[in-house]
Amino acid sequence: LSIRNATRNLEVGSQASYTQTGGVLQCRDIILGSGNTELTIDNDASVQINRNLELNGTALFSSSNITGIGTNNFTMTGGTLTMDENYTFPSSFESGTVTSGVVNYSGSSQQIEGIIAYNVLNLSGSGTKTMNQNLTVSGNLTLSNGVILDANKFNINLGGNFDNQNTIPAYGFVDDSCIITLNGSGIQTLTHAG
């Protein structure tokens, strides 16, 4: 399937879904509404967005390439954005805003994009997730069992809780030079299952 129309929007409204399997999807804006809305991009599909990517539903990016072209922004106001395989955060966006919702990196080894401030950040799947710059999370940060977070000499500003669910002591958080700043307004907890 190949859809090329740089002047039109792909808008997936409430209670709807859209799946792009392979090929190219090129559009001006992708707008994903709330309420059981799903967008799935998989099997090496290429998505080129000429302006904005707005998410308020459930989006799964799997083995795909999401690229912003020109003046564009990534906005997430709810829902869940899951990136599996070795997929990284949508690239080439000038700015990003996540005011609500969950971003989940669920692949085997991924780079954690620090260009945006996350609301809730889940690191699941397996392998090492490596930060590429300082990280800001206004809500909770969760490391699933079997995941290693390598801060790569960068720092973390955290407004919620840090939950390391690893049962093996060697797994979890690595980088003794990273400073984690707890800047939430209430009581914050750091937990480790191992």
Side-chain angles (χ1 to χ4, degrees):
L1 175 63
S2 180
I3 300 173
R4 290 181 182 269
N5 190 336
T7 62
R8 301 281 186 201
N9 296 337
L10 170 62
E11 187 163 355
V12 183
S14 180
Q15 307 290 326
S17 65
Y18 177 83
T19 301
Q20 175 78 26
T21 304
V24 175
L25 169 64
Q26 184 179 35
C27 56
R28 184 175 68 181
D29 298 305
I30 292 182
I31 303 164
L32 186 62
S34 61
N36 295 325
T37 306
E38 295 184 9
L39 171 66
T40 303
I41 309 293
D42 62 11
N43 291 342
D44 299 316
S46 177
V47 179
Q48 298 172 348
I49 302 168
N50 289 335
R51 283 199 332 192
N52 302 310
L53 173 59
E54 300 176 18
L55 300 179
N56 193 21
T58 300
L60 170 62
F61 297 139
S62 175
S63 297
S64 55
N65 181 21
I66 310 294
T67 304
I69 300 171
T71 303
N72 44 50
N73 300 296
F74 172 83
T75 305
M76 185 171 176
T77 57
T80 302
L81 170 60
T82 300
M83 294 168 286
D84 67 1
E85 301 299 327
N86 292 322
Y87 182 78
T88 57
F89 201 82
S91 64
S92 303
F93 286 86
E94 289 184 344
S95 65
T97 305
V98 178
T99 58
S100 184
V102 177
V103 175
N104 181 19
Y105 288 85
S106 65
S108 57
S109 291
Q110 293 170 290
Q111 181 172 299
I112 306 302
E113 185 64 58
I115 194 170
I116 64 158
Y118 296 91
N119 179 49
V120 173
L121 180 59
N122 293 340
L123 305 178
S124 63
S126 63
T128 301
K129 316 293 185 187
T130 305
M131 292 169 48
N132 69 355
Q133 53 189 289
N134 291 334
L135 195 62
T136 299
V137 182
S138 62
N140 296 335
L141 171 59
T142 301
L143 303 179
S144 294
N145 192 25
V147 172
I148 298 170
L149 173 59
D150 181 355
N152 198 24
K153 298 184 175 39
F154 292 106
N155 299 319
I156 300 172
N157 293 309
L158 183 62
N161 301 322
F162 189 117
D163 184 12
N164 183 353
Q165 299 175 351
N166 281 287
T167 56
I168 300 171
Y171 281 22
F173 183 73
V174 296
D175 189 347
D176 58 1
S177 66
C178 175
I179 297 171
I180 299 177
T181 302
L182 302 177
N183 57 9
S185 59
I187 296 173
Q188 293 176 259
T189 60
L190 303 174
T191 58
H192 188 283

